[in-house]
Amino acid sequence: MLSRIMSQADIDHVEKWFEKAEKIVIVSHVSPDGDAMGSSLGLYHFLVSMDKNVSVIVPNTFPAFFRWMPGAKDVIIYNKYKEFADKLIQEADVICCLDFNVLSRIDTMEEAVKNSPARKLMIDHHLYPGDFCGITISHPEISSTSELVFRLICYLGCFEDITQEGAECIYTGMMTDTGGFTYNSNNREIYLIIGELLSKGIDKDEIYRKVFNTHSEGRLRLMGYVLYDKMQVCPQYASALITLSREEQGRFQYSKGDTEGFVNMPLSIKDICFSVFLREDTEKDMIKVSLRSVGDFPCNKVAAEFFNGGGHLNASGGEFYGTMEEAINLFKQALVKYESLLLAKK
Ligand code: 5GP
Ligand code: MN
């Protein structure tokens, strides 16, 4: 049914590691998104069904709209329970690195994971995987790590062991990394997989509502403010910019995840194909940069070149250590540098 995208050697290797392992730790990237949570918890439920001792550890908190996910309440937040998490990481037989491919993406957990004697397995879909895992399953052509987790479980011959809880987590990651199946979602096998997840009893409509329609009043008002007052459109470059200061976030009782999706909004304007969102972070002294594009404009190149980041062709991010004014200047420089590519899109 599903095409085999992973090598049999890798699948056999993973099977051996899982069989032998007693303690397994699953880690994912800083500021976990739906795919980080979905792939980690999807694998978590599977490994629990294999009677493994499994922990999911992420560097910092995740948005409230993922708290409903089965197993989310057992996810360990590294920056709150560092000592406990360090011990788990150190004593693990296998560490599964999900939805990231360079250690810097796990932030303060980097040293602990790097120094752990555990075998390391990467399952990820970002370009240019780093070389820190004994098994690297890297598929940038697949739209979510959650889909890779589903495939791996199937290739291991364990589809029957996927529970409704696991299926809900996997679906969440597939849904969020494709914007509710509106981008990176033309692979027909995605829909075969959704069919299989539905057979596990998931309610996909309810999952959509729980993730996308359970926000605070403050978020909606912030969205209105941003669209009315803060979005700058540069039609001559087919681009748009949104900036948001700490003070502005405070005015709307910002809580983590409240600006999720804002960067996509300018792309609903005709002929706008590149959007950047610059937000003063509320936890760290930096500006969080989000970039989105439509078509083949490579926002991951802009992220890497100008904002110490990376990501996918159409969805990337970075961190900028400097003032908002400097970040805005970099955005302008990027427009000038990429003018011809941007104009080719119009
Ligand atoms: P978002 O804009 O939703 O935070 O991130 C979109 C995508 O960009 C993520 O899925 C991830 O692939 C990538 N990304 C976000 N932030 C960073 C970053 O700081 N560094 C790198 N290398 N990639 C990032
Ligand atoms: Mn992902």
Side-chain angles (χ1 to χ4, degrees):
M1 175 198 85
L2 286 180
S3 51
R4 282 244 154 185
I5 59 166
M6 297 172 194
S7 78
Q8 194 56 47
D10 277 349
I11 297 163
D12 294 343
H13 207 161
V14 170
E15 185 172 22
K16 264 206 207 97
W17 280 17
F18 283 168
E19 252 170 35
K20 274 199 267 169
E22 257 176 58
K23 298 177 184 173
I24 301 179
V25 165
I26 298 170
V27 299
S28 195
H29 61 77
V30 67
S31 297
D33 58 9
D35 192 30
M37 295 294 292
S39 55
S40 297
L41 288 171
L43 186 62
Y44 167 83
H45 287 291
F46 169 63
L47 292 171
V48 166
S49 79
M50 287 174 71
D51 291 327
K52 300 296 172 185
N53 176 345
V54 200
S55 312
V56 177
I57 310 175
V58 292
N60 59 351
T61 51
F62 51 86
F65 46 84
F66 295 131
R67 268 187 223 143
W68 64 271
M69 292 174 76
K73 65 176 188 335
D74 298 321
V75 171
I76 298 159
I77 309 294
Y78 187 79
N79 68 9
K80 285 192 188 156
Y81 301 100
K82 182 176 181 309
E83 257 173 55
F84 178 56
D86 275 339
K87 192 165 181 303
L88 291 170
I89 292 169
Q90 184 63 24
E91 293 176 357
D93 300 309
V94 172
I95 298 179
C96 304
C97 299
L98 266 52
D99 201 38
F100 69 95
N101 67 9
V102 282
L103 283 170
S104 59
R105 289 284 286 147
I106 53 172
D107 216 50
T108 47
M109 287 165 66
E110 175 168 356
E111 286 304 308
V113 169
K114 191 162 68 187
N115 296 331
S116 167
R119 297 169 194 276
K120 285 159 207 147
L121 160 68
M122 181 199 298
I123 308 175
D124 179 62
H125 67 136
H126 294 91
L127 288 167
Y128 316 123
D131 184 20
F132 62 94
C133 289
I135 306 175
T136 298
I137 296 181
S138 167
H139 289 273
E141 80 284 8
I142 296 294
S143 57
S144 64
T145 301
S146 298
E147 178 179 336
L148 291 172
V149 166
F150 178 87
R151 284 175 180 272
L152 178 62
I153 295 171
C154 289
Y155 300 154
L156 289 168
C158 297
F159 172 77
E160 296 308 322
D161 297 317
I162 298 179
T163 58
Q164 181 177 328
E165 287 77 18
E168 286 170 350
C169 297
I170 289 169
Y171 182 78
T172 301
M174 292 177 64
M175 178 187 78
T176 52
D177 257 21
T178 54
F181 307 102
T182 62
Y183 49 77
N184 285 339
S185 53
N186 283 331
N187 181 344
R188 63 183 282 278
E189 294 194 355
I190 289 175
Y191 304 94
L192 298 179
I193 294 172
I194 294 173
E196 297 301 335
L197 295 174
L198 285 166
S199 77
K200 297 286 180 180
I202 69 164
D203 182 337
K204 63 181 269 302
D205 303 344
E206 193 187 353
I207 292 175
Y208 184 95
R209 283 196 298 278
K210 281 176 177 166
V211 173
F212 292 123
N213 293 340
T214 55
H215 296 300
S216 65
E217 178 183 338
R219 165 179 149 106
L220 212 63
R221 295 197 186 282
L222 177 61
M223 185 189 281
Y225 168 69
V226 156
L227 288 176
Y228 188 73
D229 246 19
K230 302 302 313 259
M231 179 175 67
Q232 301 171 54
V233 182
C234 320
Q236 68 277 31
Y237 290 106
S239 301
L241 173 70
I242 297 172
T243 64
L244 205 56
S245 69
R246 250 168 234 123
E247 183 277 317
E248 289 168 315
Q249 293 167 71
R251 238 192 280 162
F252 292 89
Q253 300 84 43
Y254 172 88
S255 87
K256 205 174 177 103
D258 273 359
T259 55
E260 202 71 44
F262 282 15
V263 63
N264 293 299
M265 297 189 302
L267 297 176
S268 66
I269 302 171
K270 186 169 183 298
D271 292 335
I272 296 299
C273 67
F274 179 45
S275 170
V276 173
F277 178 41
L278 303 171
R279 183 180 64 81
E280 285 179 358
D281 197 71
T282 49
E283 289 173 20
K284 285 204 278 179
D285 191 18
M286 56 107 170
I287 293 172
K288 182 67 205 163
V289 186
S290 282
L291 307 93
R292 297 289 186 277
S293 66
V294 263
D296 52 12
F297 183 75
C299 58
N300 48 357
K301 271 195 178 171
V302 180
E305 237 175 277
F306 292 88
F307 297 111
N308 315 306
H312 312 283
L313 188 78
N314 296 131
S316 318
E319 298 183 349
F320 178 70
Y321 293 82
T323 66
M324 184 59 89
E325 206 181 331
E326 288 163 344
I328 293 170
N329 273 332
L330 283 176
F331 167 74
K332 290 180 181 161
Q333 284 175 34
L335 295 192
V336 172
K337 173 154 188 197
Y338 284 90
E339 182 177 5
S340 57
L341 270 187
L342 288 165
L343 297 187
K345 302 284 124 233
K346 282 187 46 154

